[in-house]
Amino acid sequence: GIQVEQSPPDLILQEGANSTLRCNFSDSVNNLQWFHQNPWGQLINLFYIPSGTKQNGRLSATTVATERYSLLYISSSQTTDSGVYFCAAGASTGGFKTIFGAGTRLFVKA
Amino acid sequence: SQTIHQWPATLVQPVGSPLSLECTVEGTSNPNLYWYRQAAGRGLQLLFYSVGIGQISSEVPQNLSASRPQDRQFILSSKKLLLSDSGFYLCAWSGPGQVFQPQHFGDGTRLSIL
């Protein structure tokens, strides 16, 4: 099945800094999502992006499906961006199984 | 708009006791439904998914089971809980059909087994 690897595992930023989170996946995918889990455990869907580029405010994401990676950009980080960012991928050949990466834990300092 | 409800938010159960966690979705019809478990400090593991009433796919062998008695209701159960069943359980939904669509999560249930 698909394997999903995220890097870096941990990241500490000063408020206002920019960052790039990476997600590599081992096979062709039809489904690539980015989630943010806040310190209270709530998971919010940030992007559904099996290919191409999307932007939502200070966040943007790019998936290059042919090269099997996706990037999440956070610009002008804020303390509320702290939490864990997960990448999740799936392929139609695997049914509706969505595989989550181990996450990138982000802490933004004031 | 669509909403997803999970309850209870926290649960403490003794080893060997039964379990029933419920998830309901509002504002959509025939959603795909999912149960995930998250161990402390780790990623999410898909336990079950359902594409329709009575249709359940199990991804991980365990002493848990799932049922979908109504279109927008998804239940996670166990007859006898093990210590290893502790964790954070999350229900999710996505749009209907045989294609991937964005998943949206409930607030989760923190389950502690004593």
Side-chain angles (χ1 to χ4, degrees):
Chain A
I2 294 173
Q3 296 183 357
V4 179
E5 295 184 355
Q6 291 186 244
S7 59
D10 298 281
L11 187 58
I12 299 174
L13 296 176
Q14 192 67 44
E15 195 170 27
N18 303 328
S19 64
T20 301
L21 281 57
R22 186 176 180 101
C23 171
N24 293 331
F25 40 93
S26 61
D27 207 343
S28 299
V29 299
N30 306 102
N31 169 26
L32 194 293
Q33 302 179 72
W34 283 97
F35 295 88
H36 175 228
Q37 188 170 38
N38 66 24
W40 297 271
Q42 293 174 318
L43 264 169
I44 304 299
N45 192 307
L46 300 174
F47 294 102
Y48 175 77
I49 186 167
S51 63
T53 297
K54 290 186 177 180
Q55 180 157 6
N56 185 0
R58 295 181 296 104
L59 303 181
S60 64
T62 294
T63 297
V64 183
T66 53
E67 297 186 22
R68 300 182 183 172
Y69 73 88
S70 183
L71 302 173
L72 177 69
Y73 305 96
I74 304 174
S75 64
S76 304
S77 59
Q78 301 175 357
T79 57
T80 52
D81 294 332
S82 297
V84 184
Y85 290 82
F86 289 103
C87 168
S92 56
T93 52
F96 280 87
K97 192 183 303 184
T98 298
I99 306 300
F100 277 72
T104 292
R105 188 174 299 274
L106 173 64
F107 179 68
V108 181
K109 300 188 295 183
Chain B
S1 63
Q2 301 90 352
T3 57
I4 179 169
H5 304 280
Q6 255 189 271
W7 66 93
T10 58
L11 189 60
V12 180
Q13 292 283 96
V15 170
S17 63
L19 174 73
S20 181
L21 302 180
E22 189 163 343
C23 171
T24 59
V25 181
E26 297 177 357
T28 186
S29 296
N30 198 28
N32 294 330
L33 297 173
Y34 311 82
W35 278 112
Y36 289 87
R37 178 169 59 200
Q38 185 178 29
R42 304 185 72 174
L44 277 70
Q45 179 185 42
L46 179 63
L47 300 176
F48 302 95
Y49 67 88
S50 171
V51 299
I53 296 175
Q55 301 179 60
I56 309 295
S57 295
S58 174
E59 293 300 315
V60 181
Q62 63 230 328
N63 69 323
L64 299 172
S65 62
S67 61
R68 185 170 177 173
Q70 300 181 43
D71 181 42
R72 290 169 289 178
Q73 183 185 31
F74 206 21
I75 297 172
L76 183 69
S77 303
S78 174
K79 293 181 179 179
K80 283 187 176 182
L81 286 168
L82 307 173
L83 283 173
S84 58
D85 291 324
S86 292
F88 189 42
Y89 289 82
L90 291 141
C91 179
W93 74 272
S94 66
Q98 296 296 315
V99 295
F100 283 106
Q101 297 192 47
Q103 292 184 0
H104 304 279
F105 284 81
D107 288 343
T109 295
R110 295 194 186 279
L111 175 63
S112 298
I113 310 300
L114 303 180

